[in-house]
Amino acid sequence: MTRYFATHFGTYEVEKAPSGRCTLKPYRHDPAPAALGLHYLTLAEHDMRIAQPMVRRGWLAGDHGAKRGEDEFIAVEWDVAIAHVASELDRVRKTQGNEAIYAGSYGWASAGRFHHAQSQLKRLLNLLGGFTASRNSYSYGAASVLLPHVLGASYAGTNACAPSWDHIATRTDCLIAFGGFRLSNAQCDSGGLAEHSVADWVSQALARGMRLIVVSPDGSDAPPGPNVIHVPIRPNTDSALMLAMAHMLITRGTVDTEFVSRYVSGVEDFVAYVRGDDDHLPKSPRWAARITGVPEATIELLAEQLLLPTSLINMSWSLQRARFGEQPYWMAIALAALAGQIGKPGGGFAFGLGAMNSVGQPVRKLHAPGVKQGENPVETFIPVARLADMLARPGEYIDYDGQRLKLPDIRLIYWAGGNPFHHHQDLNHLRRVWKNPETVIVHEPVWTATAHHADIVLPTTLPFERNDIVASSNDRVIIANHQLCTPYAEARNDHDICLAIAEALGIAEAFHEGLSETEWLERLYAGYRSRYPELPEFKMFWAEGMATLDAGVKAPRSQVLLAKFIGDPLRFPLETPSGRIELRSEAIARFNYSTCPAQPAWLAPEEWLGAERAERYPLHLLTPQPANRLHSQLDVVGESAAHKINGREPVVLNRIDANTRGIGPGDTVRLYNDRGACLAGAVLSDTLLPGVVVLPTGAWYTPRDASDPMSLELGGNPNVLTSDIGSSQLAQGPAANSCLIEIERYSGS
Ligand SMILES: Nc1nc2c(c(=O)[nH]1)N[C@H]1C(S)=C(S)[C@@H](COP(=O)(O)OP(=O)(O)OC[C@H]3O[C@@H](n4cnc5c(=O)[nH]c(N)nc54)[C@H](O)[C@@H]3O)O[C@H]1N2
Ligand SMILES: Nc1nc2c(c(=O)[nH]1)N[C@H]1C(S)=C(S)[C@@H](COP(=O)(O)OP(=O)(O)OC[C@H]3O[C@@H](n4cnc5c(=O)[nH]c(N)nc54)[C@H](O)[C@@H]3O)O[C@H]1N2
Ligand SMILES: [Mo]
């Protein structure tokens, strides 16, 4: 019987040697298995594992965080650690109220529906009276707040705006992909996956004759294939390019007026802005060429593609992870609407095709429920990327989606399953304000920078050390992850840690509901089966290791975006105030935000190649997802370690930029701006736009001198450089991709 091991990067087959040692092999039915997970088991006994509960010396001495991040740890017994955690939780909630506990605890942790660190932690804390939570994601922060205003609340989610790949493969004439297809991103999916099929869908479409135009600063975002055209563009200027495309449609009289009058609200204001009625600035191709660096003739050619029978505009999620990142998404909807492409199979707009494997897959989705987290009695929250603002400025207010949010006074941070010292922007600022709370508790399997910045570190198991059910909400496959080895040293499951705390605080019954691990798995599985009765019963599923909805059928579920609304807009209006697609939002107009106007616009970020600041820092840094790992996970092993240059993250720069700075391939370089500096290994490119630099996220944050608040970072973590500004007052999403830097050859030791 085959044993499977499922992860965020795919499913593997487990080979067990007579010695009991396990190795992973690609799943035989996966058309494009991801190499990055093959080395997962090397973490089992890795030096970076945390062996025992640890408490920071200064915290024990009552330093209130002064030496957090630069201090020694003392190993303690589990019962001592649990007693510390329980009494801190109790003290803070009784003296400061539950709002003083921040447990947004953002992060991907490991795949697995039961041993999902965040769910376990939130379930525990909700039973204890709640905590300050976080909203939205780093992935899709700007989009998830904007889209309810434009399309309605049902379209807020990461996978909600994608026509299906089968239609694209068979019908789309031209696909214009802003941000292109960084195909390595489709190796991953939150919650797991069994078949990597995005590259296959793209090649099917290209083989049929679809034209693919990749608009991106980076030529490597264009996949290989016939009919693929790369249009280089200055970062953060996509909405200017699209405005000029709209200008073409409007001035040439090729707007689909019938479509617009039936389905769109606010088109007059939008057209007035494009024509420049108020600001005397027509958003013409000539205007856009100066901003974007894309020649006028190319802009005209792009606009003409929208007049083909079926054309589709896809936006990578990275585009909205930028200052004013709401705008390009709104603009894509506007363009697709003006061209009357919305509602056609394989036409219109799409957000995130290729960002993860599941986006646009024509399959029935499991909508996998996890462990119930319960209700949080505390209403206070922050938009997730406002973490450092919250720690820096308690009591102050920030704007968010029409509300004024008061930033709470956090005394205790509790994190399980995420790595803010990987994912947050401007890490040197985060390090300073991270010292403000009295106590920081972290669950981690490995010694990440976040673990180093805790007061109490509780070592957890990794997924091969426990039994679990793995299923992505957006996929159709459920995998039984059987435990492959015993937990490392004294590591415990997040569930067992939370249970021990619950016991110490007298709420164990409510927390575990009398169920063992196996009984929890059975209960979760029963949830899927009640919805999909065709699934086998639990015992059989557990023995076979895998169950698939519609097994063997390649595309059982096609999707046309907004199909019902397009079919009958009166019976199925959108959940927007007008019931239509809003190209002007009265709600956003009322918020009166200078950083998010009431209709899509081009706004110049503080940091882009046309900014004043570019005189000092002339390079635009982009920080995409790493091809050889998932975020910061597995950075120290396997594929990720193998692709380092002198042990550092590779940074890509254009050959011209390298030459003028005396940088050669393989050189160690120093990237810097006013916020920080890091080292990386140079890779030279001829297809990356000059003036642009690419340093993927996820190298472990490694300050040369932990006590220096502006220490040089040694591993190539780009978040010492990125800006922590919000996307806008509307969404307050992360804006990592708006960042200017300079680079030099590094000759230090
Ligand atoms: N500059 C820049 N920064 C970015 C982005 C960007 O584009 N540019 N992208 C952002 C995006 S989209 C995202 S989603 C975030 C990702 O940020 P994160 O999700 O925080 O990154 P991960 O490295 O996946 O962190 C997961 C952590 O969980 C730990 N872990 C694994 N399994 C378990 C477990 O069973 N229990 C516990 N307790 N812990 C476990 C891992 O060791 C790891 O440290 O990064 C964001 N940061
Ligand atoms: N292997 C791997 N896959 C992953 C992840 C991982 O860590 N590793 N993380 C997953 C997660 S959490 C997420 S949210 C998704 C993210 O998916 P995305 O957000 O779509 O991906 P990114 O890699 O951030 O960026 C994709 C491309 O956008 C281009 N780009 C950046 N800025 C601009 C711009 O202003 N204009 C234009 N036209 N192009 C621009 C860059 O050249 C980059 O290569 O990826 C997922 N997939
Ligand atoms: Mo993400």
Side-chain angles (χ1 to χ4, degrees):
M1 183 75 42
T2 314
R3 279 276 150 89
Y4 301 103
F5 178 63
T7 72
H8 293 307
F9 4 93
T11 300
Y12 300 89
E13 293 182 16
V14 180
E15 240 174 19
K16 202 164 191 166
S19 65
R21 221 184 104 84
C22 294
T23 44
L24 301 180
K25 283 194 333 184
Y27 169 48
R28 68 195 68 178
H29 299 297
D30 186 344
L36 55 92
L38 285 169
H39 308 277
Y40 211 153
L41 303 185
T42 53
L43 280 182
E45 301 281 333
H46 198 277
D47 290 351
M48 285 292 167
R49 290 299 293 273
I50 305 170
Q52 296 170 257
M54 294 284 188
V55 183
R56 190 171 66 78
R57 187 182 289 281
W59 183 81
L60 284 171
D63 79 350
H64 296 288
K67 290 201 74 180
R68 188 172 294 139
E70 41 185 292
D71 205 358
E72 287 176 342
F73 285 92
I74 296 167
V76 298
E77 297 297 323
W78 267 108
D79 51 356
V80 175
I82 295 292
H84 280 312
V85 172
S87 75
E88 270 305 277
L89 284 173
D90 212 36
R91 180 184 70 80
V92 172
R93 72 179 169 143
K94 284 186 177 143
T95 58
Q96 315 291 333
N98 283 68
E99 186 193 76
I101 300 171
Y102 180 67
S105 194
Y106 184 83
W108 272 52
S110 297
R113 297 319 301 167
F114 177 60
H115 294 289
H116 181 242
Q118 223 187 75
S119 302
Q120 295 288 347
L121 175 63
K122 291 182 178 176
R123 181 178 168 86
L124 169 72
L125 292 180
N126 282 337
L127 289 169
L128 290 172
F131 57 91
T132 290
S134 64
R135 261 197 212 163
N136 311 327
S137 64
Y138 279 79
S139 314
Y140 209 56
S144 59
V145 180
L146 171 76
L147 294 175
H149 291 288
V150 180
L151 300 173
S154 318
Y155 296 90
T158 46
N159 285 56
C161 290
S164 54
W165 276 113
D166 56 325
H167 284 156
I168 300 167
T170 52
R171 303 195 188 205
T172 308
D173 297 302
C174 180
L175 168 50
I176 306 179
F178 289 84
F181 292 110
R182 192 178 169 85
L183 283 178
S184 56
N185 284 351
Q187 295 181 116
C188 296
D189 222 282
S190 155
L193 71 155
E195 292 170 31
H196 293 86
S197 55
V198 172
D200 187 40
W201 286 121
V202 174
S203 11
Q204 271 189 49
L206 292 174
R208 190 211 3 112
M210 182 188 79
R211 187 175 301 147
L212 171 59
I213 304 180
V214 168
V215 182
S216 170
D218 188 353
S220 74
D221 286 336
N227 313 319
V228 182
I229 301 163
H230 172 222
V231 174
I233 186 171
R234 283 194 194 113
N236 294 187
T237 66
D238 303 79
S239 48
L241 177 66
M242 287 187 276
L243 279 163
M245 291 164 70
H247 188 270
M248 290 269 308
L249 297 181
I250 293 164
T251 54
R252 295 212 176 157
T254 46
V255 169
D256 185 336
T257 46
E258 207 174 308
F259 182 94
V260 167
S261 63
R262 242 171 104 92
Y263 300 110
V264 174
S265 143
V267 73
E268 303 77 15
D269 296 86
F270 174 70
V271 168
Y273 170 74
V274 173
R275 281 197 309 240
D277 291 358
D278 290 341
D279 58 5
H280 306 291
L281 196 65
K283 312 302 175 298
S284 64
R286 177 191 272 186
W287 166 83
R290 274 201 302 268
I291 295 169
T292 59
V294 180
E296 279 177 64
T298 309
I299 299 176
E300 290 183 15
L301 199 119
L302 282 165
E304 279 161 16
Q305 307 306 306
L306 300 175
L307 307 177
L308 290 168
T310 305
S311 65
L312 176 64
I313 302 169
N314 182 57
M315 314 291 287
S316 65
W317 291 344
S318 57
L319 291 179
Q320 50 84 62
R321 216 174 295 117
R323 182 70 164 153
F324 311 129
E326 293 86 358
Q327 303 308 320
Y329 271 44
W330 206 348
M331 242 343 278
I333 296 168
L335 258 188
L338 294 189
Q341 292 285 355
I342 299 173
K344 292 182 184 173
F349 64 90
F351 300 145
L353 286 169
M356 289 190 203
N357 184 70
S358 61
V359 181
Q361 292 293 349
V363 297
R364 258 194 313 159
K365 298 175 193 305
L366 277 163
H367 297 297
V371 172
K372 286 215 169 65
Q373 297 179 3
E375 292 292 312
N376 186 352
V378 174
E379 284 173 5
T380 312
F381 71 92
I382 55 164
V384 67
R386 299 281 56 83
L387 169 67
D389 288 341
M390 171 182 73
L391 298 176
R393 303 188 278 115
E396 289 185 24
Y397 287 82
I398 58 165
D399 285 314
Y400 170 74
D401 200 14
Q403 306 170 46
R404 295 283 292 164
L405 299 180
K406 186 173 180 189
L407 296 171
D409 186 2
I410 298 302
R411 303 302 178 93
L412 186 153
I413 297 177
Y414 203 144
W415 220 292
N419 188 0
F421 282 84
H422 148 63
H423 68 231
H424 195 64
Q425 283 60 64
D426 195 357
L427 288 180
N428 288 327
H429 180 238
L430 179 66
R431 285 185 76 204
R432 289 193 289 277
V433 300
W434 188 262
K435 293 193 175 194
N436 293 347
E438 287 144 23
T439 299
V440 176
I441 304 165
V442 167
H443 295 191
E444 253 295 341
V446 286
W447 275 113
T448 59
T450 301
H452 280 293
H453 284 77
D455 300 317
I456 304 173
V457 184
L458 304 178
T460 71
T461 54
L462 280 165
F464 43 81
E465 297 164 337
R466 59 206 185 207
N467 292 309
D468 214 335
I469 295 176
V470 178
S472 157
S473 297
N474 294 305
D475 199 1
R476 56 170 171 170
V477 185
I478 313 182
I479 313 276
N481 265 21
H482 292 239
Q483 183 178 345
L484 302 177
C485 48
T486 52
Y488 175 74
E490 290 185 31
R492 289 189 184 177
N493 300 332
D494 292 283
H495 172 77
D496 298 327
I497 297 171
C498 292
L499 178 56
I501 299 163
E503 266 160 10
L505 293 170
I507 53 159
E509 266 302 302
F511 183 75
H512 65 55
E513 295 186 38
L515 304 183
S516 66
E517 180 189 72
T518 313
E519 287 163 338
W520 272 107
L521 299 185
E522 285 179 27
R523 180 197 275 192
L524 287 177
Y525 187 79
Y528 308 142
R529 242 192 125 209
S530 65
R531 204 166 322 160
Y532 304 103
E534 67 269 41
L535 291 171
E537 59 154 309
F538 180 78
K539 275 210 175 68
M540 188 160 147
F541 156 71
W542 193 254
E544 301 214 327
M546 182 180 294
T548 307
L549 296 178
D550 312 305
V553 189
K554 185 150 191 232
R557 207 38 81 86
S558 305
Q559 153 134 326
V560 178
L561 202 54
L562 300 174
K564 271 170 97 176
F565 165 67
I566 299 292
D568 191 341
L570 296 178
R571 253 185 81 208
F572 303 109
L574 296 179
E575 301 158 275
T576 56
S578 62
R580 296 166 166 224
I581 299 170
E582 302 222 339
L583 294 196
R584 175 185 161 89
S585 163
E586 293 306 331
I588 296 179
R590 277 194 300 277
F591 301 162
N592 200 18
Y593 292 151
S594 59
T595 55
C596 188
Q599 93 289 310
W602 189 75
L603 305 174
E606 293 78 355
E607 297 188 39
W608 73 293
L609 289 173
E612 212 171 284
R613 202 183 157 93
E615 284 166 27
R616 263 173 75 212
Y617 295 114
L619 301 171
H620 193 127
L621 176 71
L622 296 178
T623 52
Q625 310 300 320
N628 299 303
R629 60 177 177 268
L630 173 70
H631 314 137
S632 69
Q633 300 194 42
L634 283 76
D635 184 39
V636 290
V637 300
E639 291 294 297
S640 174
H643 285 84
K644 302 272 176 181
I645 297 177
N646 303 322
R648 306 182 207 289
E649 191 64 16
V651 58
V652 184
L653 65 166
N654 182 282
R655 198 173 298 278
I656 300 165
D657 293 323
N659 286 345
T660 56
R661 290 168 177 78
I663 295 168
D667 283 354
T668 297
V669 290
R670 176 173 167 271
L671 292 70
Y672 64 96
N673 61 17
D674 292 341
R675 290 180 289 266
C678 69
L679 299 183
V683 174
L684 309 196
S685 160
D686 295 312
T687 58
L688 180 65
L689 187 74
V692 180
V693 172
V694 174
L695 180 62
T697 62
W700 280 19
Y701 170 74
T702 316
R704 179 164 62 184
D705 173 2
S707 64
D708 172 2
M710 287 294 282
S711 171
L712 177 67
E713 199 281 329
L714 301 174
N717 184 316
N719 277 327
V720 298
L721 302 163
T722 51
S723 160
D724 191 18
I725 197 167
S727 58
S728 79
Q729 291 151 288
L730 182 80
Q732 298 283 9
N737 281 323
S738 300
C739 173
L740 292 175
I741 62 157
E742 178 54 291
I743 294 195
E744 64 186 12
R745 212 172 139 234
Y746 185 69
S747 46
S749 58

